[in-house]
Amino acid sequence: MRWLFLVIVSLLFTACEEVNKADAGSVTAQNATAGGGNIPDNAAGFLSEPPQFTYPEDSNICLEREVEVPSNSAAGGFHVFHEELRADGQGSFNLEIIETRMAGDTVFGAPSGDVAITYQDQQRYMVKYRDIHLGRGLSLNFNWTEDPVLQQIAGVDCVHYIVESVHGLGDAEFWIDAGNDMLLAYTMFDNAGEVTLKLTTTIIDNTPVHAGVEWSSPLVDEEDFKSDGSNTIPLDIEVSEPLYLPPGFYKKSVRVLNSFGMLPGMGNLHVALFSDGIHQLFIAQHSDTSGVNNGGMSQPPNSITLAKFSEIGGIRMVEGNPPLKRVYVVGSMSRDEIHTVFSSLF
Amino acid sequence: MTDSQQSSELPPQVIAELQSMGDLQAPPELWQGVRTQLIIDKLETQQAPSELWDVVHAQLAEEGVTARPTKIFSLRPVYAAAAALLIVLGVAFQSDWASSNAGSGLQLAPAISTEIRAEFLSRVAFVEVQPHEMLPASRALAASLGGTISEVNR
């Protein structure tokens, strides 16, 4: 009887595995046939498991690359930022702007003062948050297809991946070095199929000399948020949690930044990062004792909240002020998604 | 009842009571019920011949009513319980996989109905402004995601 028991058990697990594979295959085939977003109808090489990437800031390397973001002007077009990323392979890195070509221009020129300051201040966060780093939930939130033909990026043979968002939040394309899986280029699309960000590596130096490089450092002290109140950077607000997140999103990290006094009445900043494995969304909040708010008077807790909204370079921002607090929601999601997340905080 | 089953005669008291009932007739169903109970009581004390099952089974198989008995009926109860537990766990594992990532306990936000989304949106009135009219914290967060300020965007 013991052998029969083992046979039954093995048959049971085999049946479960076969069902899982059959379901995965049918889902990816169905999505590809629908031709949603930017997936070519004749794409082959469906992947049941997402690939693994390596990232340049983890290597001893120097890259030049071009980053394209959509312009907010009526004429449209893209701004192009020619930048250089250096990393020593020990965790230190530096991101500098070399030159820019703004929408409507035909040649590159020196960066404006605003752009130069932004890169100087934000370089560490741009590499950490702007640059793509695959998170979790990739196989549940995206359908992955590998292009069978290698493509060249900066003279390197690259594997080209086409990624379709299962929830229609925006597709993506990735190019990784076929030799070391390093992410060298990517293009992000919004839910309407428009490009929101495009990064292309143009020059690769695998034996760089980092002479006189000033490595990036955080603007302010920060640490992981502890819900038991044991943070060394104190938080003087009751954190609002969103009741709505875009489908497939999860809480990726929560940090507390020592931003007290950086602006009049500003307390320390609680920053929660949410992601679906590729797209990212910030929800940040801090105390506000400045007495200045949108409508001139602090609003009762249960009234309709007024919020300001804007967009820059494919990134959407919302900010509002419940009593004695300021709340921000920032991300590349559609306006509707960003607004709904913000609204669910009240 | 036990005493009645064991004794072939009715007690004198019962006989006397029955005789006093005169011409009163018992309903036909009463005798049928009593007769059936007497048969059952008699059968309980007897054992069926060992060849009975073979005869009955052969007859039923000839009539196409039954299949040959399977070995599962000879499984010990503990094996059957273990198999049932594995089936339940297999179903639970399969459904849990669909909502989490490879046993990591990852909780992904579900899709929400348009009605609930509309209810959320009704709580806030949004005013669109130029990027430079947003607070520095908003613009810094946007910059860290790639929303770089430029003079052109003003």
Side-chain angles (χ1 to χ4, degrees):
Chain A
M1 293 302 105
R2 188 168 300 175
W3 69 266
L4 178 63
F5 171 74
L6 293 173
V7 168
I8 293 173
V9 170
S10 62
L11 288 174
L12 173 69
F13 283 104
T14 302
C16 288
E17 185 178 354
E18 289 175 351
V19 168
N20 281 335
K21 287 180 180 177
D23 286 343
S26 64
V27 168
T28 53
Q30 183 179 7
N31 284 331
T33 302
N38 299 282
I39 307 300
D41 291 340
N42 61 347
F46 299 121
L47 302 178
S48 59
E49 291 292 331
Q52 300 287 328
F53 293 174
T54 63
Y55 304 101
E57 66 270 20
D58 298 327
S59 301
N60 181 30
I61 202 167
C62 178
L63 302 176
E64 289 187 24
R65 50 201 201 175
E66 292 182 0
V67 178
E68 299 177 49
V69 298
S71 166
N72 290 83
S73 66
F78 289 82
H79 305 310
V80 184
F81 302 91
H82 181 194
E83 58 183 41
E84 177 185 88
L85 173 67
R86 287 179 174 271
D88 67 357
Q90 304 298 317
S92 296
F93 56 85
N94 167 279
L95 183 69
E96 287 189 355
I97 184 67
I98 300 174
E99 56 188 358
T100 61
R101 188 180 74 218
M102 308 312 289
D105 292 344
T106 57
V107 294
F108 280 93
S112 68
D114 284 345
V115 172
I117 292 174
T118 298
Y119 266 81
Q120 181 177 346
D121 291 345
Q122 298 291 335
Q123 55 177 307
R124 188 169 188 82
Y125 309 104
M126 292 167 74
V127 172
K128 186 176 181 180
Y129 298 116
R130 181 202 68 178
D131 292 356
I132 295 293
H133 297 84
L134 298 182
R136 303 168 72 187
L138 294 171
S139 57
L140 294 170
N141 291 326
F142 300 94
N143 292 321
W144 292 76
T145 304
E146 179 178 331
D147 192 333
V149 179
L150 294 178
Q151 299 182 8
Q152 288 256 315
I153 299 290
V156 174
D157 284 335
C158 289
V159 181
H160 175 212
Y161 294 104
I162 304 162
V163 185
E164 182 186 20
S165 169
V166 171
H167 302 291
L169 297 177
D171 301 339
E173 295 185 55
F174 300 107
W175 289 261
I176 66 169
D177 188 325
N180 60 13
D181 299 329
M182 184 176 291
L183 181 61
L184 295 180
Y186 55 86
T187 303
M188 304 294 294
F189 303 90
D190 63 14
N191 58 335
E194 302 293 329
V195 174
T196 60
L197 183 69
K198 182 176 181 180
L199 182 145
T200 308
T201 300
T202 55
I203 297 174
I204 302 174
D205 181 0
N206 288 304
T207 55
V209 175
H210 305 302
V213 175
E214 186 175 345
W215 302 113
S216 65
S217 59
L219 283 177
V220 295
D221 293 337
E222 57 179 275
E223 61 186 12
D224 286 336
F225 174 69
K226 301 181 185 67
S227 57
D228 61 2
S230 62
N231 280 99
T232 58
I233 301 174
L235 203 61
D236 54 355
I237 56 170
E238 183 176 341
V239 177
S240 300
E241 295 288 345
L243 297 180
Y244 172 82
L245 287 172
F249 270 64
Y250 65 95
K251 184 177 286 185
K252 189 175 182 182
S253 69
V254 186
R255 303 280 284 174
V256 179
L257 277 63
N258 189 0
S259 57
F260 183 83
M262 289 186 71
L263 295 172
M266 182 180 186
N268 292 327
L269 189 65
H270 176 278
V271 182
L273 176 66
F274 298 86
S275 176
D276 63 358
I278 292 179
H279 305 103
Q280 300 193 110
L281 180 76
F282 280 124
I283 298 178
Q285 44 201 302
H286 62 80
S287 63
D288 177 32
T289 57
S290 65
V292 176
N293 53 61
N294 288 327
M297 292 291 293
S298 186
Q299 296 172 332
N302 294 324
S303 66
I304 294 178
T305 300
L306 290 176
K308 290 193 294 184
F309 160 75
S310 191
E311 177 178 340
I312 182 164
I315 305 300
R316 295 171 179 89
M317 308 169 279
V318 179
E319 63 186 42
N321 57 311
L324 300 178
K325 192 162 77 168
R326 286 193 186 274
V327 180
Y328 313 86
V329 176
V330 179
S332 60
M333 299 288 95
S334 67
R335 176 185 299 199
D336 183 62
E337 293 288 347
I338 297 293
H339 286 192
T340 307
V341 171
F342 184 89
S343 303
S344 76
L345 292 164
F346 301 92
Chain B
M1 284 295 294
T2 303
D3 292 339
S4 299
Q5 289 175 349
Q6 299 297 329
S7 169
S8 60
E9 292 183 358
L10 294 173
Q13 271 185 320
V14 175
I15 294 174
E17 288 177 3
L18 289 174
Q19 287 175 340
S20 67
M21 295 172 77
D23 295 332
L24 182 65
Q25 297 274 335
E29 299 82 12
L30 177 60
W31 167 238
Q32 187 173 354
V34 170
R35 181 164 175 264
T36 301
Q37 184 62 45
L38 288 173
I39 293 173
I40 291 173
D41 292 344
K42 187 174 183 181
L43 287 176
E44 280 180 354
T45 60
Q46 296 184 359
Q47 287 187 345
S50 56
E51 309 82 25
L52 176 60
W53 167 246
D54 292 336
V55 171
V56 171
H57 176 71
Q59 186 172 358
L60 291 174
E62 182 180 335
E63 295 174 357
V65 173
T66 63
R68 293 185 61 81
T70 58
K71 291 186 178 179
I72 195 171
F73 290 113
S74 62
L75 277 176
R76 293 176 62 185
V78 63
Y79 290 158
L85 178 62
L86 283 170
I87 291 171
V88 170
L89 289 176
V91 171
F93 178 78
Q94 200 169 351
S95 61
D96 184 63
W97 184 273
S99 61
S100 67
N101 189 7
S104 64
L106 184 66
Q107 297 294 324
L108 302 179
I112 301 295
S113 69
T114 53
E115 290 78 15
I116 295 176
R117 290 165 59 100
E119 198 282 326
F120 285 136
L121 287 170
S122 68
R123 303 176 184 179
V124 179
F126 294 94
V127 178
E128 186 166 4
V129 299
Q130 293 299 310
H132 67 273
E133 297 180 78
M134 302 292 286
L135 290 173
S138 287
R139 287 184 276 134
L141 289 169
S144 66
L145 290 178
T148 307
I149 286 281
S150 74
E151 292 178 356
V152 177
N153 286 322
R154 290 194 168 188

